[in-house]
Amino acid sequence: MQTAIHRKTIQNSITLKGIGVHSGKVVTLRLHPAEANTGLIFYLYRGTQKVRIPVSLDHVVDTSNATTIGDGSSNRVQTIEHLLAAVHTLGITDCIFEIDSVEVPIMDGSSLPFWEGIRSAGIRVLDETVEPITITNPIWVVDGDKYLVMLPSDELKVTYSIDFNHPLLRGQSYTTTLDESILGTDILPARTFGFLKDVEALQARGLAMGGSLDNAVVLTDDGYLNDHLRYDNECVRHKILDLVGDLAVMGRPFRGHLIASKAGHALDISLAKCIMSQVTGNELTQYKSKRIPLFSKKEAAR
């Protein structure tokens, strides 16, 4: 069992503004400090209504193009993974997110603006602790030729492979440890990516209206529409960013060796549910084994 670590929140409130990738409208996101054991909670403002949506696996309602949480009715907040990747990296366990739109702003398409914003707000270490998620056996999910595995490990690391039908994204793979320093410099700045033909189709349906070269890497049939990339393998790095952000929905720090091939939000969340199922069972067993019996077996037989 790993040593418990202190819970954290932000020191001061901050406000971040950006474009919603689908609506194309300005979104205001405010982050506020929270008491220990609050967890991560969104408050969605819809007119005069304030809707509470906790960040948890039970509240994930869609994983088709991004990770979306909801309150069980029509109230939703989508594309939370970039924000949560930054939150996980900085060890934030308790925070309030106030938002005036159904989508977290896309910012520059990466987690970097969220990471920088949280750091500028300062981080407050709380007295209470949280125990990192520890797995004792390999856990995996498979969907056709796509798979995602988590192996026991004392540190967080990843081996991620993508294989798109594109000359620049065939058989691209990346392996790295994922401590705070590496996440901050090598993963969080990687921007989301998409294919020009798909963007045009989405915009024809009134979606992706906020997408542009300012917040995405866009691929043509044989190259990039962007003038430059932040990394030669920026796309696979962004997939790692998404994976970390999706697993952060579990609400606890986690460690393990993640091995992914052609995964996405749906597999990420499926793996998170499998992890929590095993962890919950293990922790209940450990708790049970530590209980002091009220009477001996000999007394029970009388």
Side-chain angles (χ1 to χ4, degrees):
M1 185 179 297
Q2 299 190 48
T3 304
I5 60 177
H6 282 276
R7 302 182 72 94
K8 295 178 182 177
T9 189
I10 58 175
Q11 189 71 44
N12 302 290
S13 296
I14 56 169
T15 299
L16 299 171
K17 289 189 176 183
I19 300 296
V21 69
H22 287 301
S23 68
K25 298 179 180 179
V26 175
V27 180
T28 300
L29 173 67
R30 293 185 174 89
L31 283 66
H32 301 291
E35 297 297 322
N37 299 307
T38 298
L40 306 174
I41 300 176
F42 275 91
Y43 282 99
L44 170 63
Y45 285 82
R46 310 194 77 171
T48 59
Q49 187 182 19
K50 179 180 177 181
V51 181
R52 181 180 184 274
I53 308 177
V55 175
S56 73
L57 290 172
D58 291 339
H59 287 83
V60 175
V61 295
D62 191 13
T63 55
S64 53
N65 294 304
T67 298
T68 301
I69 55 174
D71 69 346
S73 62
S74 61
N75 299 304
R76 298 183 170 197
V77 178
Q78 64 187 36
T79 320
I80 63 173
E81 60 273 9
H82 298 174
L83 171 62
L84 293 187
V87 166
H88 166 82
T89 297
L90 294 170
I92 302 298
T93 56
D94 303 279
C95 192
I96 300 296
F97 309 117
E98 293 183 340
I99 192 167
D100 64 356
S101 175
V102 297
E103 53 183 336
V104 174
I106 193 65
M107 308 305 282
D108 70 348
S110 78
S111 291
L112 187 60
F114 301 117
W115 183 66
E116 292 176 336
I118 294 171
R119 293 179 75 198
S120 72
I123 297 174
R124 179 159 58 96
V125 179
L126 302 169
D127 292 335
E128 290 78 357
T129 60
V130 58
E131 192 169 299
I133 288 174
T134 302
I135 63 166
T136 56
N137 297 294
I139 300 174
W140 63 89
V141 288
V142 180
D143 181 13
D145 63 344
K146 306 172 185 178
Y147 62 83
L148 184 52
V149 182
M150 191 172 194
L151 302 176
S153 175
D154 291 333
E155 61 181 349
L156 181 60
K157 52 187 177 181
V158 66
T159 300
Y160 207 117
S161 301
I162 58 175
D163 189 15
F164 290 91
N165 185 23
H166 189 280
L168 299 178
L169 298 183
R170 290 197 181 104
Q172 197 174 103
S173 183
Y174 189 56
T175 299
T176 183
T177 55
L178 293 174
D179 59 26
E180 180 179 333
S181 175
I182 291 174
L183 278 164
T185 59
D186 295 352
I187 302 299
L188 297 190
R191 296 163 294 175
T192 190
F193 65 96
F195 300 92
L196 181 60
K197 59 183 179 182
D198 295 335
V199 173
E200 292 172 340
L202 286 170
Q203 291 182 337
R205 294 164 45 202
L207 301 173
M209 303 307 292
S212 71
L213 295 179
D214 293 329
N215 54 40
V217 173
V218 181
L219 293 105
T220 61
D221 289 339
D222 56 4
Y224 295 101
L225 203 58
N226 307 68
D227 291 331
H228 69 277
L229 300 181
R230 293 180 177 176
Y231 312 96
D232 290 340
N233 58 352
E234 186 166 359
C235 295
V236 70
R237 291 181 191 232
H238 184 80
K239 295 291 286 185
I240 295 172
L241 182 162
D242 280 345
L243 174 57
V244 171
D246 286 340
L247 294 183
V249 176
M250 293 187 294
R252 285 170 58 183
F254 52 90
R255 301 289 184 270
H257 185 181
L258 295 159
I259 302 174
S261 179
K262 305 180 186 179
H265 300 296
L267 274 185
D268 296 350
I269 296 300
S270 293
L271 180 69
K273 290 179 178 179
C274 290
I275 291 171
M276 290 309 298
S277 177
Q278 176 174 306
V279 167
T280 300
N282 288 345
E283 291 178 349
L284 285 174
T285 299
Q286 291 165 359
Y287 172 75
K288 184 178 180 181
S289 67
K290 292 179 181 178
R291 289 188 302 178
I292 300 174
L294 298 178
F295 43 79
S296 68
K297 291 183 179 179
K298 184 180 293 185
E299 290 172 331
R302 290 175 182 172

